[in-house]
Amino acid sequence: MDFAKKRGLAMMGVRILPLVFALGISKLVYSQDVISPVSTEGNQTENNQTELTLPAMRSTIDNTLNQASQKLKSSKVEERVGAAKLLGKYANAQVSLLLIGALDDSSELVRRAVMVSLVEHFNNGSPIYEQALVEKIFSKIGDPDVEVRRETSALIPRLIPGLMRSGMERIQVNGRSILRSIPGKLRQDLQDLANQALIDPDSIVRQNVLKHHFSLRFQMESQTFARLLGDKDVSVLLVALDQARMYAAQSGTYDQMEALTKHSDVGVRAKLARTVQSLGRSFPQYRKILRILTNDPVDEVATLSAVDLARLGERVSNEMIDRIIAYLSKAKGLFGKAESLFYSLSALGSDAKRIYKALLEHPSASMRAQAWVRHLSLSEGWKNASSWRDALQDRDLKVRKGVLSLLRGRVEQINRNDLSYLIKSRHVEVRSFASELLLVAEKEVVKECFFDLLIDEDSLVRSTTLRALAKIQADGWVDLHARSLKDKDYAIQRAAMDGLLGDHQVGVPALLKYLRQYPAERISTLARRELQQMGINP
Amino acid sequence: MRSCLLFCFSVWIAVFSHGQDSSVQIDNAGAVRIMQLRRDGPTRVRYPDALPSLLELMNERSLANFDPDPLFIESLADERLFEHPVLYVNCDELPNFDFSSEENEALRRYMKLGGFVYLDAGIKASFLGTDLGHSYAAWEERAEVRQWFEQLFPDQPFSPLPRNHEIFRTFYKGLPDNEYLRLEEDQKRLPDTVLTFVEQEKWPQGTYSMVGIKVNDRLACVASPICAMGWGRDEFGAWIPPISFRVRESAEDFDETLQVASFAGQTYEVTREDGLKDEIYLVPGNRPLWVKEPTGRWRIFKYYSGEEISNYAHSFYARLGMNVFLYALLN
């Protein structure tokens, strides 16, 4: 008891000191903050908002606050409301204290205005950490007015640092005085109010308290949680499902969650599937819910559940794979639940091959793109050009780019027919890829194909071809590069220069010769610098 | 509604194709694909879930058929511009408003041939600064947008859309009620003062501040304060991200009090619906404090956040977005 008293006194000191300090500081700041008439003439800004000349007479901050604090005590409700609203604009500890003092006003209009202004203080850089004050604000979770309760419940995350402050106490152990930490804890009466708020008639209040009750460090009774899992409000239900792990082992939770398999809202059933999938590892009995959900009439819920079961190691039937294909084929695009399902398919392992293959002609470009990438990855399709040729003729750039990203660096060989096919493509990125493939083509194939690429209308294709030819040192590449240094297109000149720089024996001498002949060309300056960095003085 | 939509789609497509001499691209089993201009590719995307969520919602709530996968174009000179009927631009996602003459010419031609341009965040008060998430419902387009479109249609300035314009009731009429919001009949949708302000001033009958340009007597472009922030939904159908409200509130003595209350900021003028100017008081970098209205009345800005506010705002913006896109296709 002595300890408790001592702690109480010590805590009071801790609580009051910062307040006094804050008030002193704020007084100092504001005593200098006398607002003189401001005149900003004709300062035009964007959007025709013009800075105007302010009225000549404005009050000081002290006068404004004094008047508002007087009005806060007025017998007229309207005056008190006005004062509470105005005080929200002056965020500092002194004003917060005034507002907190009005939290028990007899009028709900005043209490609402006070809460909204306190929220404004929190948002405008004047949070309240003083535990006694924060506890006072939190106690409004039990206010008779629903708007006040809503505002309070929405403010909980901002109140938690003040509410959950830990402390220290001095105790005697074997005659020695030692300091011991006391963890932050919600006062019992406030905890009772919070528990009551979990069954508040207003769904917003229920939802907010449920969302943050863990941070308030209290656990509700199992029947309360089961009741929330049966809440009429979908938003409350979704939040309750988020918290299910904490109560999964308690009686009533499983039954209530199983009952949700028949909930009318698809979003709730989808969320249930996702929640149960997560619980399934620690609480195997919850897998039964997933099995029930695989019979859901809505494809997206059934298929998601089946894939979730696969993640837990259960095999997915062929019928379900057909259903997944049917669902994803009907999906408008890779978005929302279809997207979640698609990216979960990797859990099916090689069983997913059939699904990806079925989606290669999907009308949505994003779906096609991902289906192609996954299909080629799983089947190691980059080894055979006939597997990916069609993807590179897709009408959508997203598909072509996705497939090209996968193929780059993986394709190890290409024959004449396939390379010619790519060279004839009307898409520049495909022709550019064909240029890159010269690196892995047979010498004869390179010889037959490179010229078509060198006269391509796009400079990216031409420059990529030059770079590839330099890399493989195709017959006559030095002459070709030396000639290309005179090209009008800088990208070609640059590719030619890079190619020649890469070969000391024949490339560099050819470049030096060019520099002697054309010392003032655009590429010459860069070439000289590159050569100097290599230790060659041109 | 369905037959009406289908009819109008086909009429629109026929007209558009005729004018353009090329066929409209109808991907995804007849679905209409919306284009979105992203000058910087995916690097400057503020609300990535917004447009796909709205398109999905339109498919759910109406019998329209949209591809929920928008077609992103990085340049207005992209030849695909002429393959799709609606171009959506979130002006907050543009790095600048510098368009080449080739791009401007393409856009001008697009609008003349029947294309519709939706400039989200095309209305924006400069004093909101870099906080792109905020909107301020002025009744004039932002200066950059005005300068841009002056190059396209020098003789056709933006003009405000009246509250009774068809665009505000193409599909949804009025504000979301409890049934729409899936609330109990006796549940409060919004705090009293907020609801009154919203119903009477902020969004009366589900309308909003919008300006538009007519081309050949057809509304071809609209600009609005940012709406995309209200369109996003997660995979379980919950709205994202949270939205808060700014409302104007009065009190008995505010006309005297706010006139002299201590204030160390700047004032700005904002054009109202009636063409008169509000005088906004704010400290730069912060949210507006209060306003002197042309009637001489002073009101204070109050900010409300919370689930109910956010849900309501999302519902409103989504309904408005649906109205705009469906109007674009029907007219």
Side-chain angles (χ1 to χ4, degrees):
Chain A
M1 196 61 188
D2 282 348
F3 291 144
K5 273 184 188 169
K6 279 179 189 169
R7 184 201 165 203
L9 285 170
M11 291 307 291
M12 191 176 290
V14 170
R15 286 169 191 176
I16 290 168
L17 274 175
L19 193 63
V20 171
F21 183 71
L23 287 176
I25 294 293
S26 85
K27 190 76 180 170
L28 273 176
V29 170
Y30 282 112
S31 63
Q32 294 168 18
D33 193 13
V34 179
I35 308 300
S36 57
V38 180
S39 175
T40 50
E41 289 175 19
N43 189 3
Q44 290 286 336
T45 60
E46 290 177 351
N47 211 25
N48 279 358
Q49 286 110 28
T50 315
E51 291 179 21
L52 301 175
T53 309
L54 290 178
M57 291 301 294
R58 281 217 164 257
S59 178
T60 62
I61 186 93
D62 285 341
N63 282 343
T64 303
L65 296 184
N66 281 339
Q67 281 184 8
S69 64
Q70 290 305 316
K71 285 183 180 173
L72 210 50
K73 296 172 198 155
S74 163
S75 57
K76 292 182 185 170
V77 170
E78 263 296 306
E79 279 198 354
R80 301 206 298 278
V81 169
K85 286 178 180 176
L86 180 63
L87 287 173
K89 302 300 175 194
Y90 302 93
N92 70 61
Q94 184 188 9
V95 181
S96 297
L97 202 59
L98 281 173
L99 287 168
I100 291 168
L103 272 174
D104 287 334
D105 195 283
S106 57
S107 163
E108 72 271 16
L109 295 177
V110 178
R111 297 201 302 277
R112 288 173 187 176
V114 167
M115 276 308 297
V116 173
S117 287
L118 279 171
V119 172
E120 221 168 336
H121 281 203
F122 273 95
N123 290 336
N124 290 344
S126 180
I128 302 163
Y129 295 121
E130 177 59 24
Q131 192 165 11
L133 302 181
V134 177
E135 286 176 345
K136 178 66 195 167
I137 299 172
F138 184 77
S139 70
K140 301 317 286 178
I141 197 86
D143 195 275
D145 183 70
V146 64
E147 285 189 24
V148 175
R149 295 203 304 278
R150 278 185 178 182
E151 286 288 345
T152 312
S153 67
L155 196 56
I156 289 175
R158 316 294 295 272
L159 298 178
I160 283 171
L163 278 175
M164 294 296 137
R165 288 176 79 161
S166 55
M168 298 292 287
E169 65 178 358
R170 189 179 292 278
I171 56 166
Q172 300 284 326
V173 177
N174 295 333
R176 282 173 55 215
S177 175
I178 62 164
L179 285 170
R180 188 169 70 176
S181 65
I182 307 166
K185 194 181 169 202
L186 195 60
R187 231 169 53 197
Q188 188 55 50
D189 58 328
L190 297 178
Q191 203 179 114
D192 293 343
L193 282 175
N195 263 312
Q196 199 58 35
L198 286 167
I199 50 170
D200 194 281
D202 186 75
S203 63
I204 300 292
V205 178
R206 292 200 299 277
Q207 186 185 340
N208 284 336
V209 179
L210 176 61
K211 197 184 288 176
H212 302 296
H213 83 282
F214 185 67
S215 303
L216 289 169
R217 296 184 202 164
F218 76 94
Q219 207 169 13
M220 70 186 86
E221 291 181 0
S222 57
Q223 56 266 42
T224 308
F225 186 70
R227 184 175 164 170
L228 288 164
L229 277 175
D231 204 284
K232 284 179 291 183
D233 188 277
V234 170
S235 303
V236 176
L237 262 180
L238 292 176
V239 176
L241 285 170
D242 274 334
Q243 318 266 331
R245 175 164 285 278
M246 276 184 277
Y247 299 94
Q250 296 192 4
S251 63
T253 302
Y254 177 84
D255 292 341
Q256 204 60 45
M257 285 180 69
E258 191 179 319
L260 286 179
T261 56
K262 295 182 179 66
H263 196 278
S264 58
D265 189 277
V266 180
V268 170
R269 300 205 302 278
K271 178 93 177 185
L272 177 68
R274 189 45 44 92
T275 306
V276 172
Q277 190 268 332
S278 140
L279 291 178
R281 292 192 195 282
S282 318
F283 306 95
Q285 71 271 28
Y286 280 86
R287 296 183 188 188
K288 188 183 164 196
I289 294 178
L290 277 180
R291 289 185 204 109
I292 297 170
L293 286 172
T294 55
N295 297 317
D296 196 279
V298 176
D299 278 343
E300 61 199 32
V301 177
T303 51
L304 198 64
S305 307
V307 176
D308 284 345
L309 274 174
R311 283 173 159 182
L312 294 169
E314 295 196 15
R315 189 78 197 270
V316 174
S317 67
N318 277 334
E319 291 74 27
M320 186 53 77
I321 286 183
D322 289 339
R323 201 171 170 187
I324 293 170
I325 290 173
Y327 170 61
L328 288 177
S329 300
K330 277 186 285 176
K332 301 262 183 201
L334 201 55
F335 172 76
K337 296 188 194 74
E339 185 181 21
S340 298
L341 176 65
F342 186 91
Y343 287 117
S344 306
L345 290 177
S346 51
L348 304 184
S350 58
D351 287 347
K353 275 185 194 170
R354 190 153 68 85
I355 303 173
Y356 297 135
K357 197 167 183 183
L359 298 175
L360 297 180
E361 297 296 320
H362 196 281
S364 156
S366 52
M367 185 77 86
R368 281 202 311 281
Q370 283 305 316
W372 268 110
V373 169
R374 303 249 167 162
H375 166 69
L376 293 174
S377 295
L378 264 183
S379 61
E380 297 191 343
W382 59 82
K383 290 180 176 169
N384 186 356
S386 60
S387 308
W388 46 260
R389 263 176 40 166
D390 291 345
L392 295 184
Q393 296 309 327
D394 194 281
R395 63 183 181 276
D396 200 288
L397 180 64
K398 190 187 273 185
V399 178
R400 300 193 301 270
K401 275 191 169 174
V403 173
L404 283 173
S405 304
L406 179 92
L407 295 177
R408 282 205 169 91
R410 285 197 171 93
V411 176
E412 289 171 353
Q413 55 184 9
I414 184 92
N415 63 36
R416 182 184 299 113
N417 283 345
D418 291 329
L419 193 58
S420 300
Y421 181 83
L422 298 181
I423 291 169
K424 285 174 195 156
S425 171
R426 63 192 175 100
H427 306 298
V428 62
E429 67 281 354
V430 176
R431 298 199 304 276
S432 175
F433 179 61
S435 304
E436 293 169 30
L437 289 181
L438 292 177
L439 294 172
V440 295
E442 297 281 341
K443 217 171 177 179
E444 284 305 307
V445 176
V446 173
K447 207 170 171 182
E448 287 175 32
C449 297
F450 83 89
F451 187 71
D452 286 340
L453 291 164
L454 272 181
I455 58 168
D456 194 281
E457 64 186 20
D458 192 277
S459 66
L460 174 69
V461 179
R462 298 199 303 274
S463 60
T464 310
T465 308
L466 278 176
R467 289 177 194 281
L469 291 174
K471 192 89 179 164
I472 57 176
Q473 303 208 328
D475 292 345
W477 77 274
V478 177
D479 286 346
L480 185 64
H481 279 64
R483 277 204 306 277
S484 299
L485 285 170
K486 299 171 195 165
D487 199 288
K488 287 177 192 165
D489 192 320
Y490 186 71
I492 304 297
Q493 288 183 308
R494 179 76 198 255
M497 180 198 76
D498 289 342
L500 292 171
L501 282 170
D503 185 285
H504 280 263
Q505 285 194 336
V506 285
V508 170
L511 185 59
L512 288 168
K513 185 179 173 191
Y514 170 82
L515 286 176
R516 282 194 295 276
Q517 285 177 341
Y518 304 98
E521 281 299 309
R522 190 168 43 161
I523 195 71
S524 301
T525 312
L526 180 65
R528 269 194 294 275
R529 201 166 64 232
E530 293 287 337
L531 285 166
Q532 278 164 354
Q533 281 180 0
M534 292 165 69
I536 301 166
N537 200 8
Chain B
M1 189 68 196
R2 177 185 191 134
S3 56
C4 175
L5 273 180
L6 290 175
F7 172 74
C8 292
F9 279 5
S10 41
V11 168
W12 192 92
I13 288 161
V15 171
F16 193 74
S17 329
H18 180 69
Q20 173 54 22
D21 197 25
S22 72
S23 62
V24 170
Q25 183 92 27
I26 304 285
D27 283 342
N28 205 346
V32 175
R33 201 162 183 202
I34 303 293
M35 289 178 294
Q36 181 171 1
L37 179 66
R38 282 187 178 170
R39 304 279 282 176
D40 279 358
T43 54
R44 192 188 294 262
V45 181
R46 187 147 178 90
Y47 303 108
D49 298 310
L51 189 54
S53 291
L54 184 71
L55 297 170
E56 183 87 348
L57 191 73
M58 285 196 275
N59 289 336
E60 275 172 35
R61 303 270 169 96
S62 74
L63 292 167
N65 186 9
F66 286 93
D67 186 336
D69 191 15
L71 174 68
F72 300 115
I73 56 171
E74 293 186 12
S75 162
L76 292 170
D78 191 315
E79 57 192 22
R80 293 172 296 174
L81 179 71
F82 291 94
E83 294 172 359
H84 303 276
V86 184
L87 172 67
Y88 170 78
V89 183
N90 182 340
C91 295
D92 276 346
E93 290 178 352
L94 297 179
N96 55 53
F97 287 79
D98 300 333
F99 293 90
S100 67
S101 54
E102 187 192 6
E103 285 183 287
N104 281 338
E105 178 52 30
L107 186 61
R108 197 180 67 82
R109 196 161 148 252
Y110 176 72
M111 288 168 66
K112 279 198 158 185
L113 291 173
F116 186 91
V117 182
Y118 179 9
L119 301 172
D120 201 3
I123 291 179
K124 185 173 178 184
S126 64
F127 56 73
L128 293 174
T130 53
D131 187 357
L132 299 178
H134 269 237
S135 64
Y136 200 98
W139 282 82
E140 63 184 349
E141 68 283 5
R142 59 201 285 177
E144 307 96 312
V145 167
R146 187 181 318 123
Q147 285 155 15
W148 177 19
F149 275 77
E150 273 171 1
Q151 299 169 48
L152 272 65
F153 301 101
D155 302 327
Q156 284 161 285
F158 280 94
S159 54
L161 303 189
R163 297 278 190 186
N164 62 0
H165 196 280
E166 188 57 28
I167 201 168
F168 298 121
R169 46 188 62 80
T170 309
F171 188 78
Y172 282 115
K173 294 179 181 66
L175 287 162
D177 55 15
N178 272 25
E179 190 187 347
Y180 183 87
L181 295 164
R182 297 199 294 186
L183 295 174
E184 297 284 303
E185 208 173 307
D186 59 344
Q187 188 109 37
K188 275 196 169 197
R189 262 179 293 168
L190 294 171
D192 291 341
T193 50
V194 177
L195 188 61
T196 309
F197 179 77
V198 166
E199 287 183 338
Q200 294 176 6
E201 297 184 60
K202 194 178 177 79
W203 301 326
Q205 286 105 42
T207 62
Y208 201 23
S209 54
M210 278 197 185
V211 295
I213 284 184
K214 278 191 171 181
V215 176
N216 299 335
D217 280 338
R218 179 186 65 87
L219 185 62
C221 172
V222 294
S224 70
I226 182 75
C227 291
M229 66 180 170
W231 296 343
R233 289 192 303 169
D234 68 14
E235 59 179 312
F236 306 112
W239 294 111
I240 46 171
I243 298 178
S244 56
F245 269 179
R246 178 195 304 111
V247 304
R248 297 174 184 209
E249 291 185 357
S250 55
E252 204 173 68
D253 57 355
F254 271 178
D255 289 351
E256 299 83 45
T257 311
L258 296 180
Q259 209 169 144
V260 296
S262 169
F263 168 71
Q266 291 175 342
T267 61
Y268 296 85
E269 281 190 345
V270 173
T271 305
R272 292 158 50 105
E273 182 181 2
D274 52 15
L276 300 173
K277 305 274 187 184
D278 277 334
E279 202 176 309
I280 309 291
Y281 285 68
L282 75 95
V283 177
N286 292 320
R287 293 165 161 181
L289 294 170
W290 54 73
V291 53
K292 183 187 175 191
E293 296 172 348
T295 54
R297 182 169 61 159
W298 291 72
R299 287 198 287 178
I300 203 162
F301 288 115
K302 283 286 161 183
Y303 298 89
Y304 289 83
S305 54
E307 289 292 324
E308 77 280 25
I309 303 284
S310 188
N311 289 344
Y312 192 93
H314 275 286
S315 298
F316 167 77
Y317 285 122
R319 287 158 62 108
L320 182 69
M322 279 183 73
N323 279 344
V324 173
F325 280 109
L326 291 174
Y327 175 88
L329 291 172
L330 288 167
N331 289 275

